[in-house]
PDB file of all heavy atoms in Angstrom:
ATOM      1  N   SER A 261      22.462   8.595  -2.356  1.00 97.00           N
ATOM      2  CA  SER A 261      23.391   9.704  -2.092  1.00 97.00           C
ATOM      3  C   SER A 261      22.693  10.904  -1.451  1.00 97.00           C
ATOM      4  O   SER A 261      23.344  11.744  -0.835  1.00 97.00           O
ATOM      5  CB  SER A 261      24.073  10.135  -3.386  1.00 97.00           C
ATOM      6  OG  SER A 261      23.088  10.518  -4.336  1.00 97.00           O
ATOM      7  N   GLU A 262      21.376  10.998  -1.611  1.00 97.00           N
ATOM      8  CA  GLU A 262      20.644  12.149  -1.048  1.00 97.00           C
ATOM      9  C   GLU A 262      20.021  11.858   0.311  1.00 97.00           C
ATOM     10  O   GLU A 262      19.453  12.756   0.941  1.00 97.00           O
ATOM     11  CB  GLU A 262      19.540  12.592  -2.022  1.00 97.00           C
ATOM     12  CG  GLU A 262      20.078  13.301  -3.254  1.00 97.00           C
ATOM     13  CD  GLU A 262      18.956  13.806  -4.144  1.00 97.00           C
ATOM     14  OE1 GLU A 262      17.791  13.863  -3.681  1.00 97.00           O
ATOM     15  OE2 GLU A 262      19.251  14.110  -5.316  1.00 97.00           O
ATOM     16  N   VAL A 263      20.104  10.603   0.766  1.00 98.00           N
ATOM     17  CA  VAL A 263      19.475  10.242   2.037  1.00 98.00           C
ATOM     18  C   VAL A 263      20.459  10.491   3.182  1.00 98.00           C
ATOM     19  O   VAL A 263      21.578   9.983   3.170  1.00 98.00           O
ATOM     20  CB  VAL A 263      19.030   8.762   2.024  1.00 98.00           C
ATOM     21  CG1 VAL A 263      18.434   8.366   3.382  1.00 98.00           C
ATOM     22  CG2 VAL A 263      18.014   8.524   0.919  1.00 98.00           C
ATOM     23  N   ASP A 264      20.040  11.303   4.145  1.00 98.00           N
ATOM     24  CA  ASP A 264      20.921  11.608   5.281  1.00 98.00           C
ATOM     25  C   ASP A 264      21.015  10.437   6.248  1.00 98.00           C
ATOM     26  O   ASP A 264      22.056  10.243   6.880  1.00 98.00           O
ATOM     27  CB  ASP A 264      20.413  12.844   6.027  1.00 98.00           C
ATOM     28  CG  ASP A 264      20.483  14.100   5.163  1.00 98.00           C
ATOM     29  OD1 ASP A 264      21.534  14.296   4.520  1.00 98.00           O
ATOM     30  OD2 ASP A 264      19.492  14.861   5.128  1.00 98.00           O
ATOM     31  N   ALA A 265      19.926   9.704   6.419  1.00 98.00           N
ATOM     32  CA  ALA A 265      19.961   8.587   7.368  1.00 98.00           C
ATOM     33  C   ALA A 265      18.903   7.549   7.005  1.00 98.00           C
ATOM     34  O   ALA A 265      17.781   7.893   6.645  1.00 98.00           O
ATOM     35  CB  ALA A 265      19.720   9.072   8.790  1.00 98.00           C
ATOM     36  N   LEU A 266      19.308   6.276   7.100  1.00 98.00           N
ATOM     37  CA  LEU A 266      18.356   5.167   7.033  1.00 98.00           C
ATOM     38  C   LEU A 266      18.082   4.751   8.480  1.00 98.00           C
ATOM     39  O   LEU A 266      18.984   4.284   9.184  1.00 98.00           O
ATOM     40  CB  LEU A 266      18.949   3.985   6.253  1.00 98.00           C
ATOM     41  CG  LEU A 266      18.118   2.699   6.243  1.00 98.00           C
ATOM     42  CD1 LEU A 266      16.769   2.911   5.560  1.00 98.00           C
ATOM     43  CD2 LEU A 266      18.884   1.560   5.565  1.00 98.00           C
ATOM     44  N   VAL A 267      16.848   4.979   8.904  1.00 98.00           N
ATOM     45  CA  VAL A 267      16.480   4.707  10.303  1.00 98.00           C
ATOM     46  C   VAL A 267      15.684   3.409  10.342  1.00 98.00           C
ATOM     47  O   VAL A 267      14.566   3.341   9.822  1.00 98.00           O
ATOM     48  CB  VAL A 267      15.648   5.871  10.886  1.00 98.00           C
ATOM     49  CG1 VAL A 267      15.243   5.562  12.322  1.00 98.00           C
ATOM     50  CG2 VAL A 267      16.443   7.171  10.820  1.00 98.00           C
ATOM     51  N   LEU A 268      16.275   2.397  10.955  1.00 98.00           N
ATOM     52  CA  LEU A 268      15.644   1.076  10.982  1.00 98.00           C
ATOM     53  C   LEU A 268      15.189   0.727  12.388  1.00 98.00           C
ATOM     54  O   LEU A 268      15.832   1.121  13.373  1.00 98.00           O
ATOM     55  CB  LEU A 268      16.646   0.016  10.509  1.00 98.00           C
ATOM     56  CG  LEU A 268      17.108   0.146   9.064  1.00 98.00           C
ATOM     57  CD1 LEU A 268      18.262  -0.808   8.791  1.00 98.00           C
ATOM     58  CD2 LEU A 268      15.955  -0.129   8.106  1.00 98.00           C
ATOM     59  N   HIS A 269      14.106  -0.036  12.461  1.00 98.00           N
ATOM     60  CA  HIS A 269      13.746  -0.640  13.744  1.00 98.00           C
ATOM     61  C   HIS A 269      14.958  -1.411  14.251  1.00 98.00           C
ATOM     62  O   HIS A 269      15.581  -2.177  13.512  1.00 98.00           O
ATOM     63  CB  HIS A 269      12.549  -1.577  13.557  1.00 98.00           C
ATOM     64  CG  HIS A 269      12.387  -2.542  14.683  1.00 98.00           C
ATOM     65  ND1 HIS A 269      12.243  -2.132  15.984  1.00 98.00           N
ATOM     66  CD2 HIS A 269      12.397  -3.919  14.709  1.00 98.00           C
ATOM     67  CE1 HIS A 269      12.148  -3.204  16.765  1.00 98.00           C
ATOM     68  NE2 HIS A 269      12.240  -4.289  16.016  1.00 98.00           N
ATOM     69  N   GLN A 270      15.290  -1.211  15.514  1.00 97.00           N
ATOM     70  CA  GLN A 270      16.516  -1.804  16.068  1.00 97.00           C
ATOM     71  C   GLN A 270      16.210  -3.205  16.623  1.00 97.00           C
ATOM     72  O   GLN A 270      16.172  -3.425  17.848  1.00 97.00           O
ATOM     73  CB  GLN A 270      17.082  -0.888  17.148  1.00 97.00           C
ATOM     74  CG  GLN A 270      17.303   0.543  16.667  1.00 97.00           C
ATOM     75  CD  GLN A 270      18.565   0.730  15.850  1.00 97.00           C
ATOM     76  OE1 GLN A 270      19.669   0.612  16.355  1.00 97.00           O
ATOM     77  NE2 GLN A 270      18.404   1.031  14.558  1.00 97.00           N
ATOM     78  N   ALA A 271      15.965  -4.135  15.694  1.00 95.00           N
ATOM     79  CA  ALA A 271      15.673  -5.519  16.091  1.00 95.00           C
ATOM     80  C   ALA A 271      16.857  -6.094  16.856  1.00 95.00           C
ATOM     81  O   ALA A 271      16.718  -6.621  17.953  1.00 95.00           O
ATOM     82  CB  ALA A 271      15.372  -6.358  14.856  1.00 95.00           C
ATOM     83  N   ASN A 272      18.013  -6.017  16.246  1.00 95.00           N
ATOM     84  CA  ASN A 272      19.300  -6.240  16.910  1.00 95.00           C
ATOM     85  C   ASN A 272      20.376  -5.715  15.964  1.00 95.00           C
ATOM     86  O   ASN A 272      20.102  -5.381  14.809  1.00 95.00           O
ATOM     87  CB  ASN A 272      19.514  -7.711  17.333  1.00 95.00           C
ATOM     88  CG  ASN A 272      19.640  -8.674  16.174  1.00 95.00           C
ATOM     89  OD1 ASN A 272      20.391  -8.430  15.236  1.00 95.00           O
ATOM     90  ND2 ASN A 272      18.903  -9.780  16.231  1.00 95.00           N
ATOM     91  N   LYS A 273      21.606  -5.660  16.465  1.00 96.00           N
ATOM     92  CA  LYS A 273      22.691  -5.050  15.695  1.00 96.00           C
ATOM     93  C   LYS A 273      22.956  -5.807  14.383  1.00 96.00           C
ATOM     94  O   LYS A 273      23.175  -5.201  13.334  1.00 96.00           O
ATOM     95  CB  LYS A 273      23.948  -5.053  16.567  1.00 96.00           C
ATOM     96  CG  LYS A 273      25.152  -4.392  15.982  1.00 96.00           C
ATOM     97  CD  LYS A 273      26.288  -4.468  17.001  1.00 96.00           C
ATOM     98  CE  LYS A 273      27.624  -4.226  16.358  1.00 96.00           C
ATOM     99  NZ  LYS A 273      28.731  -4.429  17.323  1.00 96.00           N
ATOM    100  N   PHE A 274      22.901  -7.132  14.447  1.00 95.00           N
ATOM    101  CA  PHE A 274      23.200  -7.960  13.274  1.00 95.00           C
ATOM    102  C   PHE A 274      22.170  -7.748  12.174  1.00 95.00           C
ATOM    103  O   PHE A 274      22.516  -7.606  10.994  1.00 95.00           O
ATOM    104  CB  PHE A 274      23.232  -9.432  13.710  1.00 95.00           C
ATOM    105  CG  PHE A 274      23.486 -10.402  12.599  1.00 95.00           C
ATOM    106  CD1 PHE A 274      24.731 -10.487  11.993  1.00 95.00           C
ATOM    107  CD2 PHE A 274      22.477 -11.245  12.153  1.00 95.00           C
ATOM    108  CE1 PHE A 274      24.965 -11.384  10.964  1.00 95.00           C
ATOM    109  CE2 PHE A 274      22.697 -12.150  11.132  1.00 95.00           C
ATOM    110  CZ  PHE A 274      23.946 -12.225  10.536  1.00 95.00           C
ATOM    111  N   VAL A 275      20.904  -7.699  12.548  1.00 96.00           N
ATOM    112  CA  VAL A 275      19.835  -7.521  11.562  1.00 96.00           C
ATOM    113  C   VAL A 275      19.938  -6.136  10.903  1.00 96.00           C
ATOM    114  O   VAL A 275      19.834  -6.005   9.676  1.00 96.00           O
ATOM    115  CB  VAL A 275      18.443  -7.710  12.217  1.00 96.00           C
ATOM    116  CG1 VAL A 275      17.335  -7.252  11.287  1.00 96.00           C
ATOM    117  CG2 VAL A 275      18.231  -9.171  12.602  1.00 96.00           C
ATOM    118  N   VAL A 276      20.164  -5.103  11.704  1.00 97.00           N
ATOM    119  CA  VAL A 276      20.279  -3.742  11.155  1.00 97.00           C
ATOM    120  C   VAL A 276      21.452  -3.667  10.179  1.00 97.00           C
ATOM    121  O   VAL A 276      21.343  -3.105   9.077  1.00 97.00           O
ATOM    122  CB  VAL A 276      20.433  -2.714  12.297  1.00 97.00           C
ATOM    123  CG1 VAL A 276      20.792  -1.334  11.747  1.00 97.00           C
ATOM    124  CG2 VAL A 276      19.141  -2.635  13.114  1.00 97.00           C
ATOM    125  N   GLN A 277      22.573  -4.263  10.578  1.00 96.00           N
ATOM    126  CA  GLN A 277      23.762  -4.259   9.720  1.00 96.00           C
ATOM    127  C   GLN A 277      23.499  -5.010   8.416  1.00 96.00           C
ATOM    128  O   GLN A 277      23.893  -4.551   7.333  1.00 96.00           O
ATOM    129  CB  GLN A 277      24.895  -4.931  10.493  1.00 96.00           C
ATOM    130  CG  GLN A 277      26.263  -4.788   9.884  1.00 96.00           C
ATOM    131  CD  GLN A 277      27.300  -5.362  10.827  1.00 96.00           C
ATOM    132  OE1 GLN A 277      27.406  -4.946  11.981  1.00 96.00           O
ATOM    133  NE2 GLN A 277      28.042  -6.334  10.356  1.00 96.00           N
ATOM    134  N   THR A 278      22.800  -6.128   8.502  1.00 95.00           N
ATOM    135  CA  THR A 278      22.505  -6.927   7.300  1.00 95.00           C
ATOM    136  C   THR A 278      21.596  -6.155   6.348  1.00 95.00           C
ATOM    137  O   THR A 278      21.830  -6.133   5.131  1.00 95.00           O
ATOM    138  CB  THR A 278      21.842  -8.266   7.709  1.00 95.00           C
ATOM    139  OG1 THR A 278      22.706  -8.958   8.598  1.00 95.00           O
ATOM    140  CG2 THR A 278      21.567  -9.131   6.491  1.00 95.00           C
ATOM    141  N   ILE A 279      20.570  -5.490   6.880  1.00 97.00           N
ATOM    142  CA  ILE A 279      19.666  -4.708   6.020  1.00 97.00           C
ATOM    143  C   ILE A 279      20.438  -3.561   5.365  1.00 97.00           C
ATOM    144  O   ILE A 279      20.278  -3.280   4.173  1.00 97.00           O
ATOM    145  CB  ILE A 279      18.478  -4.147   6.833  1.00 97.00           C
ATOM    146  CG1 ILE A 279      17.608  -5.278   7.370  1.00 97.00           C
ATOM    147  CG2 ILE A 279      17.632  -3.210   5.964  1.00 97.00           C
ATOM    148  CD1 ILE A 279      16.561  -4.811   8.372  1.00 97.00           C
TER     149      ILE A 279
END
Side-chain angles (χ1 to χ4, degrees):
Chain A
S261 58
E262 287 184 15
V263 177
D264 295 314
L266 173 63
V267 179
L268 296 170
H269 162 57
Q270 306 281 293
N272 66 48
K273 184 179 162 185
F274 178 71
V275 168
V276 170
Q277 191 174 303
T278 303
I279 296 170

